Amino acid sequence: MSLSPLLQELISALRTLPGVGPKSAQRMALHLLERDRTGAQTLAEALVQAVEHIGECQVCRNLSERERCGICEDGTRDRGVVCVLESPVDLMAVEQTGGFNGVYFVLKGHLSPIDGIGPDELGLEQLFTRVDGGEVSELILATNPTVEGEATAHYIAEQLQQTHVNITRIAHGVPVGGELEFVDGGTLAHAFAGRRSLKRSADD
Amino acid sequence: MSLSPLLQELISALRTLPGVGPKSAQRMALHLLERDRTGAQTLAEALVQAVEHIGECQVCRNLSERERCGICEDGTRDRGVVCVLESPVDLMAVEQTGGFNGVYFVLKGHLSPIDGIGPDELGLEQLFTRVDGGEVSELILATNPTVEGEATAHYIAEQLQQTHVNITRIAHGVPVGGELEFVDGGTLAHAFAGRRSLKRSADD
């Protein structure tokens, strides 16, 4: 096909975006060129700015353009509760619930010896130093409920056995709004093992 | 949420792409920043180049960074057959079939008096001048089979009644691979009206 070479370059550049196939890329390119050239310029500028300036927060390893991210600098957040996550996208998911007022530590991955990812790559030394600092009272391990995520959580918990910090793992069970019928066996087993009493205790 | 402002800007810029909602934009932004910063730079550069240099072909009004697009300059294409389309995306769809060897004329819209789109906005004068030039033997009207597309095709055919150019309209009928059961009544009626004989004629 004798397409304009610049248009072809734009289409293949758009295909690097996750979830964008050849048809979507084509539609995006034509949309930008035919109807939203200002939007295209804004996007180009936003990409350049983000790539140039966004690094990681020195405290929690979250994406940030400053030395400390907005959450770590926020005086209203409880610095005693640290939530450990695998990636910034998990952090955004937790933030969007609006129900967590502590701070974070982003591992940027999980332990995976085969890929050469050990404690150093996950910045665990930095996390342990932070725990030793004494400000942290609870460490919530919110790595993914996958084999690697569980192994990472287990490893962190093991390393901190001797400290006085409370170490917790987020609950795994049946998703809210889900139906038992469609939940896999592993999740159901977790849901049963983690069952809670609904009976009021005597001192309520 | 205390997200990095540059990250927020990137996410909202990505949302200007068609078919990209808040979740996809977030996933794209994090993917680019965490795993593909080179891809992000390439995309930014491709956007800037495309917006700056891609204009329209002086002959067929297709997107092109030169005065004449690749198709109009291609000596192997039959300039006697001109396919009239509503938009560059339709042109790409036809090109991708690989079955058309003529040239194009892109209207960039359809007649729509309510929106102030008349013959001038569609460059019809330019099309008629090209037809008058004498090089064109057939004009294939491939506007969309919508009310506006049909009206546009009808208008063009009317204007060229007095010329010796062959004016055709693409066939409308049951899509190949489609099932009659799921085809709408209008399409079925078109399919019946446009039926063709399968019987060999005597001179075959």
Side-chain angles (χ1 to χ4, degrees):
Chain A
M1 181 167 42
S2 336
L3 262 191
S4 141
L6 288 179
L7 182 55
Q8 257 163 341
E9 269 165 42
L10 177 57
I11 292 173
S12 68
L14 283 164
R15 287 198 56 191
T16 60
L17 294 171
V20 176
K23 278 273 170 190
S24 308
Q26 187 176 307
R27 196 158 57 99
M28 286 173 174
L30 290 171
H31 170 87
L32 291 174
L33 287 171
E34 286 193 275
R35 291 196 210 116
D36 195 6
R37 290 191 176 225
T38 325
Q41 275 163 328
T42 311
L43 176 55
E45 183 57 23
L47 283 163
V48 168
Q49 289 294 324
V51 168
E52 269 180 21
H53 299 296
I54 297 182
E56 68 178 43
C57 170
Q58 298 303 305
V59 180
C60 73
R61 299 180 25 122
N62 183 21
L63 291 170
S64 171
E65 64 241 48
R66 285 168 311 183
E67 212 163 289
R68 291 162 69 96
C69 74
I71 296 169
C72 288
E73 287 211 319
D74 187 343
T76 68
R77 316 259 327 194
D78 181 357
R79 289 184 203 177
V81 183
V82 178
C83 175
V84 179
L85 296 155
E86 286 188 30
S87 82
V89 72
D90 298 334
L91 186 154
M92 288 168 89
V94 175
E95 277 296 284
Q96 274 156 13
T97 67
F100 179 69
N101 194 39
V103 290
Y104 297 94
F105 186 81
V106 183
L107 301 172
K108 299 207 167 182
H110 44 234
L111 289 178
S112 176
I114 292 179
D115 305 315
I117 299 173
D120 287 351
E121 282 71 27
L122 302 183
L124 290 187
E125 206 47 58
Q126 190 179 339
L127 176 64
F128 297 154
T129 312
R130 192 160 154 198
V131 168
D132 287 339
E135 204 184 19
V136 182
S137 61
E138 183 179 358
L139 203 65
I140 303 174
L141 302 176
T143 51
N144 290 327
T146 56
V147 174
E148 296 88 351
E150 293 289 354
T152 309
H154 186 76
Y155 177 85
I156 296 173
E158 276 301 310
Q159 297 295 310
L160 297 173
Q161 278 309 323
Q162 306 307 322
T163 63
H164 292 286
V165 173
N166 195 6
I167 297 175
T168 55
R169 178 91 175 101
I170 50 165
H172 298 141
V174 180
V176 177
E179 294 179 49
L180 284 200
E181 186 182 350
F182 303 114
V183 170
D184 65 292
T187 303
L188 261 187
H190 264 294
F192 273 86
R195 68 188 181 279
R196 292 191 307 168
S197 169
L198 293 180
K199 219 172 158 184
R200 278 190 212 89
S201 62
D203 49 270
D204 263 0
Chain B
M1 183 167 40
S2 335
L3 263 190
S4 140
L6 287 179
L7 183 55
Q8 256 162 344
E9 270 166 43
L10 176 57
I11 292 173
S12 68
L14 283 164
R15 288 199 55 189
T16 61
L17 295 171
V20 177
K23 277 273 170 189
S24 309
Q26 187 177 306
R27 196 157 58 99
M28 287 171 173
L30 289 170
H31 170 86
L32 290 174
L33 287 171
E34 286 192 274
R35 290 194 210 120
D36 196 5
R37 289 190 176 225
T38 325
Q41 275 163 329
T42 312
L43 176 55
E45 183 57 25
L47 283 164
V48 168
Q49 290 294 324
V51 168
E52 269 179 22
H53 299 295
I54 297 183
E56 67 179 41
C57 170
Q58 298 303 305
V59 180
C60 74
R61 297 178 30 119
N62 183 20
L63 291 170
S64 171
E65 64 243 46
R66 284 168 311 182
E67 213 164 287
R68 290 161 69 97
C69 74
I71 297 170
C72 289
E73 288 211 319
D74 186 344
T76 68
R77 317 263 319 198
D78 182 357
R79 290 185 202 176
V81 182
V82 178
C83 176
V84 179
L85 297 155
E86 286 188 31
S87 82
V89 72
D90 298 335
L91 187 154
M92 288 169 88
V94 175
E95 277 296 284
Q96 275 155 12
T97 66
F100 180 69
N101 193 38
V103 290
Y104 297 94
F105 186 81
V106 183
L107 301 172
K108 299 207 167 180
H110 44 235
L111 289 179
S112 178
I114 292 180
D115 305 314
I117 298 173
D120 287 350
E121 283 71 26
L122 302 184
L124 290 187
E125 206 48 58
Q126 190 180 340
L127 176 64
F128 298 153
T129 311
R130 191 160 154 197
V131 169
D132 286 339
E135 204 186 19
V136 180
S137 62
E138 182 179 358
L139 202 66
I140 302 174
L141 301 176
T143 51
N144 290 326
T146 56
V147 175
E148 296 88 351
E150 293 289 354
T152 309
H154 186 77
Y155 178 85
I156 296 173
E158 276 300 311
Q159 298 294 309
L160 298 172
Q161 278 311 322
Q162 305 307 321
T163 62
H164 293 285
V165 173
N166 194 8
I167 297 174
T168 56
R169 179 91 176 100
I170 50 165
H172 298 142
V174 181
V176 177
E179 294 180 48
L180 285 200
E181 186 183 350
F182 303 115
V183 170
D184 65 293
T187 303
L188 261 187
H190 263 293
F192 273 86
R195 68 187 181 280
R196 291 189 307 168
S197 169
L198 294 181
K199 220 171 158 184
R200 280 190 210 88
S201 60
D203 49 271
D204 262 0

